[in-house]
Amino acid sequence: MSVFEKLEDIATGVIEKARRYGASESDVTITTRSAVETTVRLGEVEKLEGAQMRGLQFRALCGAKGTKTASSSTSDLSPQALDKLIKETIATAEASEEDPFAGLPESEDFAPDYLRHNFALDIFDPEVEHIPVEKKIQLALAAEEAARQADKRISNSDGASFSDSAGVIVHANSRGFLGSYEGSHVSISVGVVASQDDEMQTGGWWASNRRFSNLEEAEAVGRKAAERALRQLGSRKVKSQEVPVIFDPLMAGRLLAQFVGAASGAHIYRKSSFLVDKLGEVVASKGVTIIDDPLMAGKLGSHPFDSEGLACKKRTIVEEGKLLTYLLSSYAARRLNTKPNSGSLGNLYLQAGDSSPEDLIGSVKNGLYLTSVSGPGFKVITGDYSLGASGIWIENGKLAYPVSGITIASDMLSMFKNIEAIGNDLDFRSSTSSPSIKISKMTVAGQ
Amino acid sequence: MVSAINSGPDAAKLLHSSQMTPEKELHDAFGITYEQLQKVIAEAAQGTAGKQGFCDVFLQAGSAHAITLDQEVIKNASSAHVNGAGVRVVVGDKTGYSHTDHVNTTNLKRCATIARAICEHARENHNLELKESREESAHRSCGYSESGADIFKPHNLYGNEESPTNWDLKEKIALLKKMDRMARDFDPRISNVSVSLAAEDYVIIIATSRGAIFADRRPLVRLNIACQAEENGKRENGSSGGGGRFDFRTLLEEDYWSDHVLIAARQAIELLSAEPAPAGEMDVVLGSGWPGVLIHEAVGHGLEGDFNRKGTSAFSNLMGSSVASKLVTVIDDGTIAERRGSLNMDDEGTPTGRTVLIENGKLTGYLQDKQNASLMKASLTGNGRRQDYRFAPIPRMTNTYMAEGTSSPDEIIASVKKGIFATTFGGGQVDITNGDFTFSATGAYLIENGKITKPIKGATLIGNGPKALHKVVMVGNDVALDRGIGTCGKDGQGVPVGVGMPTIRINGITVGGSKN
């Protein structure tokens, strides 16, 4: 019996048992994962971690209408433990109250058959589980060494890690959905410290991939980490002023995730987002098109079905500045009286424009090239945005000197409407990616 | 009878750790004997022979329960059951770690084999002076079975008679509804209320290669409320919450929950008329309690042993130097009864303690776990913590606060000509290495000519750790800890913590509003 068949057997067994114990509906997700992390620091192995993990999540819908819900999780998959878990969860659901919107998705919204059984999305690399430890150590060492050799001002290191994991996800529900897939993940990350006089600045970088052979060269990751630390040396504050801000791809991706998070169905039906009542309206400048595509081959955010078994399709969330859809789980869709399209994201990206990053910087007379933000200062309900920031100050179209200890503020709708230019530097480094973007004005607070 | 899900061993009666017999807990919760566990430790310790090192096993069993009322309906009642263990091998500055989600001797031995692989990479001479707690050495000299609870007196900080996982579901639902009702009655502009209750209870067992075994039983409860207000298409929200390691019945007391309802509802309403915060450097008054997140971010993290051993903290090599104004004394105290950040022992079995980090402006202490204390030849402070059995422990804060001064809060506000008064914060973040910290006020007011005038929103404060606290010019006489809502994240691990502060005035801090 393959691992898939074994786990699918357990999953269908749980559903069957739940039915027998009186649940109107139920669903179950089982995950197994093996993960290893190899960390080096200052040229020596510092930490080796390895584990095999597994977990099961069960949800029971009970009561006359099947709208009383309880859920539970465990890592004990023995028949006795699951039997007890199912009984207790059903008892809790029965004792709870009705939520008229609770339920499973309709079967017509399930992922189609061909996606259900380890569909070839190219997100699993069998090689990952067989990378020799020596190789992992060697790659982590090479990444750190490249960073430390980049410049004599690189004075210390937070270390470098090579991480790999591989696992299986199985989902089943009482409306007949059964699906499973496997995925793998490898990544390499480095953090180093640059110093000059009394000042220290860290810089970090990483690369990750589904496939080991596609992972970026370790040395390149190290050099980039060093560059990021070095370019912050000599940071100073600037005066408070209103200026254009260029978000580097990393910061633009972070901003994109915050923006799209506000389109999540749960925020919409609770009216707790600045995107409430904005469907079909202009929420960004004309150049902005935002796409989510869970079915891209080999990408980090790819998956054939979501956590409810819903179909995952490519969807355009914002097209030329207009908001086309929210992200709707089956619960949110029932709340909003519409059809679900999955509450989870796959590969989210902002479509590339045609300016080179140099063109973007060149277009700014006086402004900020943003490379890092900090703090929790974004409020979804209002869109108010105020975060700690550091980066490089732009003078007359050139990167002039590093800045830190400042903040940037605006509100999310204004920011997206003020996206004046979009870079051509989109890559799929994370499951959320964006090219560089230029926002025509934000408030910088400093001295 | 339907009550909350029975979870973990013997959930009905909560034993204080001083009454616990680790051997019995080990058997009841994990079905293994101490002899079997010692064999696992022996396997893990194999590679450490001749090298200065140690190993330990951390076992955790129990459950966490949560229930939410949102938009006037009871959402999911959830529970998470845990039964796992992690095996750690330390040689010098090197660590091997492996965990299992399913405790039995086979899985533990596999963890031991994985964890000890680190020994192949150990240097011969680590120049390591192994640190152990008084309690651990007592175990070593007297042997475990004779020692019991008599040799040392573990803390007994949790105020529970009964496990919070026994909390009846109907009783929880009734409380959620009362809070929802009260918030909606507070003001017709309250458009939604979301209330949640969480309760957890874990048995923790730690066994070390030095022959010690410790047990703890850790209950934790928490209540949260978020209110949303709407007026003329404008929406805002406010929240409040509290909890700790005390009896869940405390949350049922009207005085307790109604206070949180009022704070959340008032904040939501008040923000409807708030103006954008100003931008630029200004004088700031921080209220007592939760604004202590400043201390946590500005100095707390930078004084954790690991960063200072590695020399990557902005506070590295500053021991004994002046890092704050003379008015500033900062303490980390894991021994305050019933607090969210308190523990009878840390996650390495060391009793928690009270560490003065900054005394009258001078840097006096770091927070340590065993590995970093050993490498730095420092004393253990009881700050080796982990999120759960899946993680190796690292130095972490417990309850971190600024000690009180002599000014009255009124006098502090009256002293400011133009500035802001911030009372509630969403949280914060710090860059340990360059010392820059950021924290964001969710509730703040303008101060004009010594008087609080109007509410403002979107105020993010930014400063530099070793520099900012030099600008503290007044410290209030009203020190308070937060209500028990903080979770601190580091290296991907979240742990419950407390923060605290009296009212303080800090001059010339950058406020990141949007109003230029």
Side-chain angles (χ1 to χ4, degrees):
Chain A
M1 216 191 235
S2 76
V3 57
F4 289 105
E5 288 166 327
K6 243 187 242 167
L7 295 175
E8 287 186 357
D9 254 21
I10 296 176
T12 48
V14 167
I15 300 295
E16 183 44 43
K17 222 166 218 178
R19 196 192 321 269
R20 226 181 311 141
Y21 292 157
S24 307
E25 303 272 16
S26 67
D27 67 2
V28 61
T29 302
I30 306 175
T31 53
T32 66
R33 197 162 74 94
S34 63
V36 178
E37 184 165 0
T38 309
T39 305
V40 304
R41 181 171 175 265
L42 299 177
E44 293 184 21
V45 173
E46 182 182 54
K47 197 170 183 188
L48 297 176
E49 283 179 278
Q52 284 162 351
M53 293 160 268
R54 63 181 198 190
L56 178 147
Q57 279 216 300
F58 170 67
R59 178 169 64 143
L61 294 135
C62 301
K65 296 177 191 147
T67 54
K68 294 177 168 187
T69 315
S71 65
S72 54
S73 68
T74 181
S75 52
D76 189 347
L77 307 191
S78 67
Q80 311 86 292
L82 290 179
D83 199 75
K84 183 162 175 271
L85 187 87
I86 295 164
K87 277 186 184 155
E88 288 175 346
T89 309
I90 290 174
T92 304
E94 293 286 2
S96 189
E97 300 197 347
E98 281 176 5
D99 174 353
F101 300 97
L104 298 178
E106 300 297 328
S107 50
E108 65 197 47
D109 297 320
F110 289 163
D113 267 334
Y114 73 95
L115 287 173
R116 290 190 200 177
H117 296 283
N118 211 23
F119 174 70
L121 263 181
D122 196 22
I123 53 173
F124 178 73
D125 175 7
E127 196 191 343
V128 167
E129 285 172 296
H130 305 288
I131 309 166
V133 183
E134 298 72 39
K135 180 78 188 162
K136 301 179 196 182
I137 294 172
Q138 186 201 323
L139 286 168
L141 286 172
E144 194 200 36
E145 184 62 12
R148 292 177 69 202
Q149 293 306 321
D151 191 291
K152 60 180 189 306
R153 290 170 297 167
I154 300 293
S155 59
N156 204 340
S157 170
D158 287 319
S161 291
F162 183 94
S163 304
D164 58 273
S165 69
V168 172
I169 293 179
V170 173
H171 183 76
N173 69 28
S174 56
R175 290 189 174 172
F177 182 89
L178 177 64
S180 57
Y181 62 93
E182 59 191 331
S184 60
H185 195 262
V186 283
S187 70
I188 193 159
S189 63
V190 195
V192 285
V193 178
S195 54
Q196 186 171 282
D197 305 324
D198 281 346
E199 183 189 7
M200 286 198 290
Q201 298 287 352
T202 47
W205 198 243
W206 89 105
S208 52
N209 210 286
R210 293 288 196 170
R211 205 167 265 285
F212 180 50
S213 58
N214 290 348
L215 189 65
E216 209 173 311
E217 191 206 11
E219 287 83 358
V221 175
R223 284 193 297 270
K224 179 90 179 183
E227 182 198 320
R228 288 175 65 86
L230 288 164
R231 72 182 182 186
Q232 284 311 121
L233 281 174
S235 279
R236 48 178 133 144
K237 256 182 163 177
V238 288
K239 286 203 171 354
S240 303
Q241 54 194 297
E242 201 174 80
V243 290
V245 177
I246 293 173
F247 283 59
D248 80 1
L250 200 58
M251 292 301 104
R254 195 179 187 278
L255 188 70
L256 176 66
Q258 288 174 318
F259 183 88
V260 172
S264 140
H267 278 305
I268 303 306
Y269 72 73
R270 303 179 75 251
K271 296 196 192 299
S272 58
S273 161
F274 66 91
L275 290 177
V276 168
D277 299 330
K278 292 280 190 290
L279 216 53
E281 290 192 18
V282 173
V283 294
S285 71
K286 189 110 174 91
V288 175
T289 292
I290 300 170
I291 290 165
D292 174 44
D293 187 357
L295 298 181
M296 289 171 96
K299 291 284 184 277
L300 291 162
S302 303
H303 52 254
F305 53 83
D306 82 353
S307 56
E308 295 186 282
L310 285 172
C312 292
K313 293 176 202 150
K314 181 174 176 176
R315 53 187 166 180
T316 304
I317 297 166
V318 172
E319 187 170 41
E320 295 182 354
K322 205 181 274 182
L323 181 65
L324 296 190
T325 184
Y326 295 126
L327 314 174
L328 303 162
S329 65
S330 71
Y331 185 89
R334 281 187 294 271
R335 277 271 184 194
L336 295 165
N337 197 20
T338 178
K339 296 276 286 174
N341 64 357
S342 177
S344 31
L345 289 162
N347 300 290
L348 174 71
Y349 62 96
L350 196 150
Q351 217 162 54
D354 43 23
S355 314
S356 70
E358 293 74 27
D359 289 345
L360 291 181
I361 294 164
S363 73
V364 174
K365 199 160 177 302
N366 178 53
L368 173 66
Y369 181 70
L370 181 73
T371 59
S372 171
V373 291
S374 68
F378 166 57
K379 212 166 169 184
V380 181
I381 191 166
T382 54
D384 290 337
Y385 183 96
S386 170
L387 273 85
S390 60
I392 314 204
W393 202 254
I394 306 171
E395 276 177 352
N396 298 319
K398 296 248 155 42
L399 296 177
Y401 52 87
V403 287
S404 69
I406 58 171
T407 64
I408 50 170
S410 181
D411 72 90
M412 199 60 102
L413 267 183
S414 306
M415 287 165 77
F416 270 73
K417 285 181 180 172
N418 288 335
I419 293 179
E420 198 179 83
I422 297 172
N424 58 8
D425 49 348
L426 174 69
D427 67 6
F428 290 89
R429 179 163 295 276
S430 315
S431 56
T432 299
S433 331
S434 171
S436 305
I437 56 172
K438 178 185 177 187
I439 294 178
S440 59
K441 58 176 183 198
M442 291 186 73
T443 305
V444 166
Q447 276 165 344
Chain B
M1 187 198 82
V2 181
S3 69
I5 291 178
N6 186 337
S7 56
D10 191 20
K13 185 71 189 157
L14 193 83
L15 286 172
H16 294 308
S17 60
S18 56
Q19 303 166 303
M20 292 171 85
T21 313
E23 269 183 329
K24 183 175 182 309
E25 295 291 335
L26 184 66
H27 182 266
D28 292 352
F30 304 97
I32 56 175
T33 64
Y34 187 37
E35 288 66 39
Q36 288 173 315
L37 191 58
Q38 281 173 315
K39 280 188 192 141
V40 171
I41 293 172
E43 293 242 344
Q46 257 176 30
T48 64
K51 302 177 176 106
Q52 286 155 314
F54 64 89
C55 58
D56 55 19
V57 184
F58 177 95
L59 302 103
Q60 180 181 14
S63 61
H65 303 252
I67 184 163
T68 303
L69 178 149
D70 183 47
Q71 299 200 310
E72 299 177 280
V73 298
I74 298 292
K75 285 261 188 86
N76 203 0
S78 69
S79 62
H81 301 259
V82 165
N83 188 296
V87 178
R88 173 173 69 148
V89 176
V90 172
V91 272
D93 59 355
K94 303 176 190 311
T95 305
Y97 197 78
S98 180
H99 75 262
T100 174
D101 295 323
H102 187 51
V103 177
N104 58 39
T105 50
T106 313
N107 287 345
L108 285 174
K109 281 185 181 162
R110 191 176 55 219
C111 290
T113 311
I114 296 170
R116 76 174 184 226
I118 191 69
C119 297
E120 291 166 30
H121 304 279
R123 266 170 281 149
E124 288 304 315
N125 290 314
H126 272 295
N127 191 23
L128 181 80
E129 207 176 288
L130 279 183
K131 295 289 175 184
E132 61 181 1
S133 63
R134 214 158 29 91
E135 288 69 17
E136 191 174 3
S137 69
H139 268 291
R140 193 153 54 101
S141 50
C142 302
Y144 154 71
S145 51
E146 290 168 48
S147 66
D150 296 323
I151 286 181
F152 64 98
K153 288 196 171 58
H155 300 310
N156 186 7
L157 301 170
Y158 318 142
N160 301 63
E161 293 302 322
E162 196 182 341
S163 171
T165 59
N166 270 10
W167 195 352
D168 181 71
L169 188 71
K170 297 280 187 207
E171 199 168 45
K172 291 190 211 180
I173 291 175
L175 173 60
L176 294 173
K177 286 184 169 174
K178 273 194 278 190
M179 292 177 68
D180 177 69
R181 191 69 264 149
M182 181 182 174
R184 287 174 190 278
D185 288 344
F186 176 79
D187 192 297
R189 290 171 290 177
I190 296 293
S191 55
N192 188 30
V193 180
S194 180
V195 204
S196 65
L197 296 170
E200 62 179 52
D201 187 14
Y202 296 110
V203 168
I204 303 291
I205 291 170
I206 298 160
T208 76
S209 53
R210 298 233 156 166
I213 180 166
F214 307 104
D216 195 9
R217 182 80 183 256
R218 297 177 176 169
L220 186 64
V221 294
R222 181 173 167 165
L223 164 160
N224 264 80
I225 175 161
C227 291
Q228 200 167 304
E230 187 170 343
E231 187 176 29
N232 303 327
K234 204 169 167 187
R235 299 187 186 91
E236 276 291 353
N237 53 20
S239 64
S240 185
R245 303 189 185 278
F246 49 69
D247 200 285
F248 65 82
R249 287 182 191 84
T250 305
L251 304 184
L252 294 168
E253 289 165 17
E254 185 159 353
D255 283 352
Y256 190 93
W257 58 260
S258 62
D259 201 27
H260 290 293
V261 172
L262 290 177
I263 293 170
R266 250 187 228 132
Q267 192 182 55
I269 296 292
E270 203 166 79
L271 283 171
L272 285 173
S273 58
E275 291 179 8
E281 270 181 14
M282 58 196 78
D283 299 344
V284 173
V285 177
L286 299 174
S288 72
W290 179 239
V293 68
L294 166 79
I295 298 305
H296 179 100
E297 303 297 352
V299 297
H301 278 297
L303 300 180
E304 289 166 340
D306 44 356
F307 303 120
N308 287 283
R309 169 175 67 81
K310 295 175 182 177
T312 56
S313 166
F315 289 93
S316 299
N317 309 316
L318 290 181
M319 188 58 86
S321 329
S322 158
V323 295
S325 97
K326 284 207 166 98
L327 300 172
V328 176
T329 291
V330 174
I331 295 155
D332 182 84
D333 191 348
T335 69
I336 309 170
E338 305 196 348
R339 302 301 310 194
R340 180 173 163 87
S342 298
L343 291 171
N344 288 330
M345 62 178 190
D346 73 3
D347 297 322
E348 301 181 309
T350 306
T352 51
R354 179 179 186 276
T355 308
V356 179
L357 299 171
I358 296 173
E359 190 162 18
N360 301 325
K362 210 173 264 181
L363 181 57
T364 51
Y366 293 131
L367 300 173
Q368 298 289 6
D369 63 357
K370 273 186 178 178
Q371 184 179 28
N372 286 289
S374 299
L375 291 163
M376 293 176 79
K377 305 192 192 316
S379 303
L380 292 177
T381 58
N383 291 85
R385 301 184 63 187
R386 45 182 131 201
Q387 175 175 306
D388 56 45
Y389 66 89
R390 293 173 298 163
F391 298 90
I394 47 175
R396 302 299 293 263
M397 285 173 260
T398 57
N399 304 295
T400 317
Y401 64 96
M402 187 191 288
E404 71 184 8
T406 54
S407 307
S408 78
D410 292 344
E411 154 188 13
I412 295 175
I413 287 165
S415 75
V416 177
K417 205 164 176 318
K418 189 166 184 289
I420 70 166
F421 174 46
T423 53
T424 52
F425 283 87
Q429 192 179 339
V430 62
D431 179 325
I432 311 282
T433 305
N434 68 19
D436 284 344
F437 65 86
T438 310
F439 62 125
S440 295
T442 48
Y445 306 85
L446 270 188
I447 307 177
E448 292 165 297
N449 297 317
K451 295 219 159 50
I452 294 168
T453 53
K454 49 193 160 207
I456 53 172
K457 60 174 190 169
T460 284
L461 308 185
I462 187 162
N464 187 270
K467 294 179 194 151
L469 295 187
H470 283 291
K471 301 180 192 167
V472 173
V473 293
M474 291 176 96
V475 176
N477 56 10
D478 57 340
V479 69
L481 287 179
D482 74 286
R483 308 285 290 268
I485 51 166
T487 297
C488 166
K490 172 179 169 185
D491 292 357
Q493 301 194 46
V495 296
V497 295
V499 299
M501 196 160 71
T503 301
I504 66 164
R505 173 175 168 177
I506 176 163
N507 281 355
I509 190 162
T510 296
V511 177
S514 58
K515 201 163 114 184
N516 201 355

